[in-house]
Amino acid sequence: MRFSRAYIPTTKESPKDAQLPSHIYLSRAGFVAQVASGLYNFLPLGKRVLRKIENIINEEMSACGALEVDLSFVTPAELWQESGRIEKFGKELLRFRDRKDNLFVLGPTHEEMMVSIVRNRVTSYKQLPLNVYQVKTKFRDEARPRFGLMRAREFVMKDGYSFHSSTEDLDREFDAMEAAYKKILERLGLNFRIVEADSGAIGGTGSKELMVLAQSGEDTLAVCDTCEYGANVEAARRAPRSVFPEAPSADFSRFKTPNVKSIDDLSNFFHVDPYYTLKAVVMRAVYTEGSEPVCFFIRGCDELQEVKARNSVGAIDLVDISESELSEIGLIPGFIGPLDQDKIRFVMDKDTLNATSMICGANEMDYHFVGVDLSVMKDAVFADLVTVQAGDGCPHCGGKMEHTKGIEVGHIFKLGTVYSAPLKAEFLDENGRAQPFIMGTYGMGVSRLVAAVIEQHHDERGCIWTHATAPYLVNVMVSNIKEESHLAYAEELYNTLLSRGIETILDDRKERFGFKMSDAELIGFPFTIIIGKELENGQVQIMIRESREILTVDAENVLDKIEELRR
RNA sequence: CGGGGCGUAGCUCAGUAUGGUUAGAGUACUUGGUUUGGGACCAAGGGGCCGGAGGUUCGAGUCCUCUCGCCCCGACCA
């Protein structure tokens, strides 16, 4: 491509609405342009990057025997009514009617459609397994689109679905997909972690998220500094504690603790580590029908993890509760404890099971119990309720857990029969009995990956594309196109690079050196070959975008050098 | 959906508290000239329903009412 004939509208200033590096640089460098909230146009450079990512996905899927399809973006509402998701998705489904007044929705994901194409067509276990996928525009009418391409309403997703006759075969495919996804992200040149995720409302037997590590990630991850274990904090586990603070020695008694309400107060009052105190967190659990207050008891040194807490009581939401509501129930904030208490449903963190030497509220103003042995509570409900903190032990290898931020670019899921059963998608097994398909689903955010590459690879001058994602690998820049010999040399080099199958752009614009260099850095081509003054000495220069290092090489060696650098 | 902010040239923004010639700057664009290794300089140009509607007024970018859009925090997010 000749730059002079390309459409690459770069700007010196960032759009005022852009906050994230990916949004700023992708806009400034002319990869994308915003149309409306959560809607983006992909300009020529952006489209090239998108296609490169798609190609890599297609290659890896093909290597796994997955079959590409392309399902209608517009989907009949009946399918969504059948699965029950038309209510569940709510306003995120963009609905509209055609001229005959039939209701349709723009596909936000395609489980229903995908099930419908195999239903009644794949009818025997002999036809299984089957893995079909597409790379397709999706639309979710998000309540609040944000962060540029990271959370758009219209976006490109690779969504794959597998169908099996046994859970063992699903497990095999799930592992194969995890390996393929790992390979894709490696090829893209990304630093990522595969983490355990909250299975949440969907249920199923397992899900993993693929997280590109970046400061601006919306998800917080707990990862081991030694082994591969990592999990979304919503689902992270930790090893049991191995070192314990010094335990307070006190016989069980009721102790007057005037105005001692917080864990800090309590810890200071008794000069005891918060580990030996019991924290009460009361929230209102919201269910499909009705709600009730619930108290969660955890050690004073821990923090409540709301997703875990929500799962522990099967609620769809947990909301804050006011002090006046607490008073109505008869609980005294600051002095709530589990002993002799029947005013509220409660769940205890599993780390408090059989705990001794504890201090907890006495359910009486200005009193706490000390020397509490929680083994008396062994019949209570226990669950994992706490947030894994930095420094906690890894549940697998005993290494130290630390926190990091991630961008969710993929999510793979063992669905089981969650969709196939209600949609009555069945096959006949070896015994001639009808069984619902056992399914897996595998998603990857393609347009989000474009942004994720830049979130992870940029500097204050602009984009730094990885070799696999760059719109062009090499930029041949002519410092001054009025130097005819320079231009002629550059044209020849450009053609040679193209003939070797190296994606190259020729910056033949009538602009000054600094202007073109700034553009090259903003756009982020991995290599810019500068044809200029040095050519008089038979030399050219190669600017390596990542380090901004400039190599001076003999003109006759430039091809070899590029071949060497691209490896 | 709650809270906050912003809509003026392609882009980034002044101007709005206190209404008053022809609405500005930078940048981008066009033409001519000089430049040519880090976003050049000189000169001459084109470009605006001041988000939209209604109102107050002799007069509205500026005041009032309504509305639409965009961004941020939160709620939400297979």
Side-chain angles (χ1 to χ4, degrees):
Chain A
M1 187 69 216
R2 286 167 185 275
F3 213 132
S4 61
R5 301 305 311 150
Y7 180 53
I8 306 172
T10 60
T11 62
K12 205 186 279 190
E13 283 174 294
S14 24
K16 64 171 174 177
D17 294 336
Q19 307 277 330
L20 284 194
S22 62
H23 192 187
I24 291 171
Y25 295 131
L26 289 171
S27 302
R28 280 190 54 202
F31 286 80
V32 299
Q34 182 168 5
V35 182
S37 179
L39 304 179
Y40 290 84
N41 286 331
F42 275 77
L43 303 181
L45 287 187
K47 180 64 187 174
R48 283 183 73 91
V49 175
L50 207 50
R51 180 162 291 145
K52 295 191 115 178
I53 296 173
E54 277 177 44
N55 287 346
I56 289 173
I57 291 172
N58 283 330
E59 284 168 25
E60 295 303 329
M61 284 300 110
S62 174
C64 291
L67 306 166
E68 189 177 12
V69 294
D70 199 342
L71 307 189
S72 174
F73 182 33
V74 174
T75 62
E78 292 91 83
L79 269 177
W80 297 87
Q81 280 151 357
E82 205 178 339
S83 71
R85 286 213 291 183
I86 196 151
E87 282 87 19
K88 198 169 164 189
F89 258 103
K91 288 186 170 176
E92 288 207 4
L93 282 183
L94 184 63
R95 304 152 201 228
F96 56 94
R97 292 179 185 277
D98 68 4
R99 65 205 298 164
K100 291 184 277 187
D101 214 34
N102 291 319
L103 190 61
F104 289 88
V105 310
L106 287 185
T109 174
H110 272 103
E111 279 83 3
E112 284 82 355
M113 280 290 269
M114 207 56 91
V115 167
S116 81
I117 66 166
V118 298
R119 180 167 62 178
N120 301 328
R121 296 198 178 93
V122 175
T123 48
S124 159
Y125 73 95
K126 293 175 192 165
Q127 293 165 283
L128 298 175
L130 190 64
N131 186 333
V132 281
Y133 78 98
Q134 61 178 344
V135 176
K136 184 90 181 171
T137 296
K138 300 285 183 290
F139 193 93
R140 293 180 192 175
D141 199 1
E142 294 263 4
R144 178 144 107 85
R146 58 185 127 174
F147 304 142
L149 287 181
M150 298 265 271
R151 182 178 291 287
R153 291 192 291 173
E154 183 177 316
F155 57 98
V156 179
M157 182 166 90
K158 175 265 169 181
D159 50 324
Y161 309 83
S162 67
F163 300 85
H164 308 272
S165 56
S166 71
T167 54
E168 292 73 24
D169 198 49
L170 168 62
D171 291 347
R172 176 201 53 74
E173 188 74 6
F174 185 86
D175 291 345
M177 284 294 116
E178 178 178 340
Y181 272 32
K182 192 174 171 194
K183 188 128 182 249
I184 291 165
L185 296 187
E186 280 168 357
R187 285 183 64 183
L188 292 175
L190 291 165
N191 182 17
F192 64 97
R193 290 290 283 235
I194 299 178
V195 302
E196 290 178 8
D198 171 49
S199 296
I202 290 279
T205 54
S207 97
K208 288 187 178 179
E209 291 169 332
L210 287 93
M211 294 284 187
V212 169
L213 303 182
Q215 273 306 310
S216 54
E218 289 190 80
D219 291 276
T220 302
L221 315 178
V223 297
C224 177
D225 68 358
T226 308
C227 76
E228 293 223 321
Y229 176 72
N232 196 310
V233 281
E234 294 173 356
R237 295 170 290 117
R238 65 184 182 189
R241 200 178 258 259
S242 53
V243 282
F244 302 93
E246 191 189 340
S249 57
D251 293 331
F252 179 79
S253 64
R254 179 168 155 276
F255 210 96
K256 188 162 176 68
T257 52
N259 212 29
V260 174
K261 292 182 174 177
S262 70
I263 293 297
D264 276 352
D265 293 344
L266 202 56
S267 167
N268 291 331
F269 186 89
F270 286 107
H271 301 290
V272 62
D273 191 287
Y275 177 75
Y276 294 105
T277 65
L278 196 66
K279 187 192 289 186
V281 182
V282 183
M283 303 202 75
R284 178 165 292 279
V286 180
Y287 304 97
T288 330
E289 287 176 14
S291 71
E292 66 169 336
V294 181
C295 185
F296 300 98
F297 289 107
I298 59 181
R299 285 189 185 264
C301 57
D302 284 324
E303 294 294 328
L304 186 73
Q305 215 307 315
E306 279 200 31
V307 173
K308 290 181 179 180
R310 194 176 66 204
N311 291 343
S312 75
V313 293
I316 53 176
D317 196 13
L318 290 180
V319 295
D320 289 339
I321 203 161
S322 67
E323 291 214 358
S324 60
E325 281 179 278
L326 281 181
S327 303
E328 279 170 37
I329 306 163
L331 294 172
I332 305 149
F335 302 95
I336 302 170
L339 302 182
D340 302 326
Q341 189 284 117
D342 56 5
K343 297 188 173 79
I344 189 170
R345 175 178 175 190
F346 65 94
V347 181
M348 304 196 60
D349 182 59
K350 62 182 177 55
D351 277 5
T352 66
L353 181 62
N354 297 331
T356 55
S357 306
M358 296 296 287
I359 298 174
C360 68
N363 296 312
E364 185 178 350
M365 180 61 86
D366 292 343
Y367 282 96
H368 279 83
F369 289 129
V370 301
V372 176
D373 180 349
L374 285 175
S375 61
V376 299
M377 303 298 304
K378 62 180 185 303
D379 295 328
V381 177
F382 286 86
D384 179 8
L385 296 176
V386 304
T387 304
V388 170
Q389 295 173 357
D392 284 347
C394 169
H396 290 285
C397 75
K400 288 268 172 277
M401 298 300 288
E402 45 193 44
H403 282 177
T404 184
K405 290 284 183 179
I407 301 165
E408 182 191 342
V409 296
H411 199 162
I412 57 177
F413 227 107
K414 293 181 186 176
L415 280 181
T417 58
V418 175
Y419 291 95
S420 51
L423 291 170
K424 295 199 171 27
E426 300 174 332
F427 65 97
L428 292 182
D429 68 12
E430 293 94 323
N431 304 314
R433 266 198 292 267
Q435 305 280 2
F437 293 115
I438 294 165
M439 292 177 59
T441 182
Y442 319 95
M444 188 169 255
V446 182
S447 47
R448 181 179 279 184
L449 271 166
V450 176
V453 172
I454 297 309
E455 284 303 320
Q456 198 171 78
H457 302 277
H458 67 271
D459 61 15
E460 70 290 344
R461 288 169 181 264
C463 305
I464 303 175
W465 293 101
T466 61
H467 293 193
T469 56
Y472 296 93
L473 186 74
V474 177
N475 170 32
V476 176
M477 191 196 94
V478 189
S479 176
N480 180 358
I481 60 162
K482 285 192 178 168
E483 295 285 349
E484 285 178 19
S485 62
H486 296 186
L487 185 59
Y489 172 82
E491 297 257 8
E492 191 188 328
L493 179 60
Y494 166 66
N495 285 318
T496 309
L497 285 162
L498 287 183
S499 70
R500 295 204 182 186
I502 295 173
E503 292 176 308
T504 306
I505 188 164
L506 175 66
D507 193 347
D508 58 345
R509 291 175 301 170
K510 184 176 174 295
E511 296 288 351
R512 294 164 69 91
F513 177 81
F515 186 94
K516 292 192 198 179
M517 280 296 276
S518 294
D519 263 2
E521 286 166 338
L522 176 60
I523 296 165
F525 305 112
F527 308 111
T528 292
I529 302 175
I530 304 165
I531 314 295
K533 284 178 174 170
E534 307 292 327
L535 197 59
E536 312 299 332
N537 311 320
Q539 292 184 313
V540 298
Q541 290 167 308
I542 301 174
M543 191 266 287
I544 299 168
R545 177 63 186 90
E546 189 170 15
S547 59
R548 296 191 52 239
E549 184 185 359
I550 294 181
L551 310 176
T552 300
V553 300
D554 289 338
E556 62 261 32
N557 295 335
V558 66
L559 287 167
D560 292 342
K561 193 67 189 173
I562 288 291
E563 291 286 4
E564 178 192 325
L565 288 168
R566 71 188 284 215
R567 277 195 288 272

